[in-house]
Amino acid sequence: MRLLEVDGVSVTFDGFRAINNLSLSMGEPELRAVIGPNGAGKTTFMDIVTGKTRPDSGRVIWGEENRNLIGLSESSIARAGIGRKFQKPTVFEDQTVRENLAMALKARRDPFAVLFRRSDMPARLAELAEEIALTEHLTRKAGELSHGQKQWLEIGMLLAQEPRLLLVDEPAAGMTPAERTHTADLLKRLAQTRAVIVVEHDMEFVRRLECKVTVLHEGRVLAEGSLDHVTKNQDVIDVYLGR
Amino acid sequence: MHRILIAILAVLTLIPVAGRAQDLQTILQLHTEEVENPGRRSVGVVIEDLIAARLPAVPVFLTHWQDREIVLNAEDGQFYALVDEDGDTATIRNLDTGDESEVAGDSLTEVRPNGGVRREIAAALVRFQLSDENPANRRAALDAIARRPDADQIAPLTASIEDEQDAAIRADKDRLLNILTARYGETTEARVEAIERLGGSITSDARAALSQILEAEDRVSAEAPDGNIAQVYTPGDQISRTEAYGRLVDAELAPAPVSGGAIRDALIANIDGGMVLDIPVELLDTDAQRRAAYDRLAQAGRVPPFVTQDRIDAALDSHSFYAVYEEEDAAVTDAARATLRSVETQVSLNQTADLALDAISLASIYFLAAIGLAITFGVMGVINMAHGEFIMMGAYTGYVVQQIVPDYTWSLIIALPLAFVVAGAAGIAMERLIIRHLYHRPLETLLATFGVSIALQQLAKNIFGTQARPLTSPDWLSGQMVINELVSISYIRIAIFVLAGLFLALLLFILKRTRLGLEVRAVTQNPGMAASMGIDPDRINMATFGLGSGIAGIAGVAIGLYAQVTSEMGANYIVQSFMTVVVGGVGNVWGTLAGASLIGVLQKGIESLNPSNTLAAQTYMILFIIIFIQFRPRGIVALKGRAAGA
Amino acid sequence: MTDATLALPSRTPPVRQTSTMVFLASLAVFAVIVTILAQQGVISTSFVKTLGKTLCLCLAAVAMDVVWGYTGILSLGHMAFFGLGGYAIGMWLMYARTEALVAPGLAAQPIPPTPSELQDAIGSQIFGVVGSSDFPLIWMFADSLFLQMAMVVLVPGVLALVFGWLAFRSRVTGVYLSILTQAMTLALALYLFQNDSGLRGNNGLSGLQNIPGFEDAPQSAISLAFFWASAVALALGYLLFAWVVSGKMGSVLRAVRDDEARVRFLGYHVESFKLFAFVLTAVVTGIAGALYYPQAGIINPAEIAPIASIYLAVWVAIGGRGRLYGAAIGAAFVSLLSSWFTGGGAPDIDLGVYTVRWTDWWLVLLGLSFVAVTLFAPKGIGGLVDLLTEKRRPERQGDYGPDKGAKRSEEGVE
């Protein structure tokens, strides 16, 4: 069934059309890779879906109730069930792994609930820590972790949020081949129960995901389909692959 | 005065006039009776003769006569001017020769002309003065008339206009005559015509003349209003019912309502053994109780009864309330009203212009004070709390230079660049020693520079003391340019405006046309990229900081010229400077200009609504800015796109 | 800072935290010692007042630490809330005191006064100095201690709520926000400076050290009572904030400080959390002010001037941000040192050619040492505690934490 529908979205920065009448639809569960050259509008697309950037026109329809996400704050959109993984791991380095995870756990987010409900669901926390292999490091500050551990912590935080849609920005950047395999497997596993959009540059990695691919170019969808299908598309070859 | 009269003498003696055979004393002796005991009618003959004689001594005599300083000496029956009186002896002066002599006091009789006569004399004097050789005296005479306008002055003024050679004075005479005619003219037509001619004039005397013609008096009467009615008041409409009743009471047409104080006094007067009638005094501690007790006293006939609302209503209904012009001629007042209205429109236009000038000069000051801050904030993201102290430093530099170089023009010429150098050097020192270590930690920079700020302020206090030091501007900068009676601007403010303009141009030139400007802009927009292109950010930061602080120093000299130099002067400008930068938009010269203009115009605008309360104006201005930021968080001129760094 | 493991709650409750316990115990010991010394006559009444006032400043500093050190909002306007709390209680003190003064005179009149006559007499006594005699509307509740105490909480609270809501919703952050709060303070101070502000213009409210109902009690007893009240308020405030900044709330607040955008993507409404911290600290600061000014005896608009709030920030920075006891120590240390130097307590230094008088040079020294602390000891006095307890913090790699909380390449608004 359809979870997210981006419909005719456009946005202009200082006369530069970053996104031009972009439409895209995601089901649940589904794994999708979004690819495209630099400046194709991949990041802006994620900014729009997560509420960071407000488009000039178009709609972003979400969930069973067909809520329009345009105009909602970033936090409302996050609470609606959209999680975002940044390219560079962004965790709260001054806080412990445990605190980082506890903050992300799905729970009421208003200040008074946060102030008065002080239990951080130890069982769920333990489970998550297990999953990202950081059980040993729960009381360490996130800033002390290695780069890879931070990546995992951030993934753990995303899982703790229990999002229905996960936006992942270039997960394979800077990873060893082994880590890439691991990550691809994880994404595929996650996509069994939810929608996952992976924005990626690396075609090799996209191939491993074995999913439907959307090619962006100059802010609009150039082609959509299986990787083999889009790589045969002449337009795609011209602007991207054949560079 | 005497010198002038001698000058007149010199001129007059050159004019051959028929019948100028006599001296002054001879003429006076012809009219001894009229001089000694002048009546308002009879004095005219004397004055005509005196004027006809065209003697230089005449105005002197007239002045003395008017000031009651003429004495009749019984010994020789001649008139003298009394110079001094000391006990028994008196010094007198011969009216023709000017020789002084001493005589016994009791032989002198003072000549005391009455008020009417003195007015006649004054009019005659005015005729002399209005035709005086010296333009300054003619102007003085005009000013005297304008200060105390009078119907009698019309004739001499009219007479003097024909011979007036000086075009400017002649215009003033015409104008004054017009004002006099408007107020005291003979016929309605003449007055209305004169009033209508006042339409183009916004001078205060013309406005005063109009409003004096329109002076009205409030009246109450049981009959219908009569006279030249200015306004009819309906109680509860143009005036409140309470006020209307108050006027009735004042005119003794109705009894005064019983006030709380009156009730209290009446009750106290009627206390008898701790009781008022049969009510214990202790119970009279509410207004209701007191009224009740008073009412009982009234029923007993011991105090006047309350004035009931019905009586008030009836009294108001049976009287009319209105204002009557003191001028009885309705045609004149109508004309005056119409003219005053058009004059007032012009006046408010001119006042707006004056306000605009004020606002522009304030904006220039804010611009000068803030632009340095805008540069450092915009380019380096550094908020410099010590910026105000750099302003102060510049001002004290100006002060010190003035102590060494006494010529104000030269000291100013030296002080401006020196202030730039001193404040700029201080800025660079601060950048090197402190700010450099705190880049990308703007809040810490804010606090560290605040530390510098309090240290510098106290240091200035220790060196220069707490009292304000003057920074005197050269003569050519003092005074003001008067455009008309309502619009004027001091030369210092013009100079500050010019200075602000120069710096705007200079900064635009530096930023847009020089290598430094290019690099500065590069660092502003993308520091990382700039660094990778070989631009040394250290050098740029130092240069910008020096430039920004230097301009603050120059602003200090400018501010010191029109305000005083104190150790706290910087602190007084720092918040406004921040506002200017934030409202205008960071990192943009035009933005700062827009911010300074907005704040200047706003502050003057709000101030003009309530000129007595500049504190309130500042309060409301800051509130406005807080709300403004809600709607344009990036300021008026916002950098757009990715360069904005958000 | 905690030894939490999975079996334990994530953070120790504040009372069981070592620092909180040490702080509260020291405070209690200090209060007892001061009481004994005061009763022995070793320390003067005015010094007890100074100490009591210092405790109130410590409370304000602790609140400032929560809003700045933990939440990352460098508010340059918190002393405005402090002053407002003082004004709110000062109104009652002045009203009740004036009433006590004028009532006997009126009662001696031939007939007893009506309520409105009493009001007028009090009004002309209080507002005579600004050429008025009518009570402005804001004095509506001045005759009620309870309602004015409510005002101590409500006025700063509502002002903080309205201002914070406006500022945070437009996403004004960093230096901009600081300047905006400074503007708020300045506007308030300028407003109060007016004679028709209804609060006696630059005369302010005075005679506040006379507590109505305790006219017969000696100032030495009153000063001790207020000293204790201040100590208790500081203890309670400290506990409250220690509780707030522990657990998940503290976690979120510090996260907001370090990376606001990331917190938003976690689904937290950042503005609500900022507003929560801002309003709560404003209210506590107001209460601190309400305790401070009866000990100071006078409040006027100069107390609200922007510089006062900057000093508050200075204290917190010198004491050490991001730790509550640091803020309290900083406030106590700097303000006591300051009154020692400016009060002529410090000996002059004769350099031969020039004699350094500390009354003149103290501010220079303070300014420069503040620069030095910012540059060389960003942890402030609190850093000494770290050294003493040898709890070496591992080097962090990120630009985070209270010391570098401001370190962001992105400044201004989003």
Side-chain angles (χ1 to χ4, degrees), chain C residues 65-96:
Chain C
D65 194 16
V66 171
V67 83
W68 179 30
Y70 284 85
T71 319
I73 304 166
L74 174 51
S75 163
L76 296 180
H78 259 56
M79 280 314 254
F81 304 127
F82 192 79
L84 283 176
Y87 264 107
I89 202 69
M91 282 158 80
W92 175 78
L93 284 169
M94 201 159 176
Y95 184 96

Side-chain angles (χ1 to χ4, degrees), chain B residues 381-392:
Chain B
V382 161
I383 205 97
N384 178 10
M385 294 289 280
H387 184 78
E389 277 57 47
F390 292 152
I391 293 180
M392 172 198 78

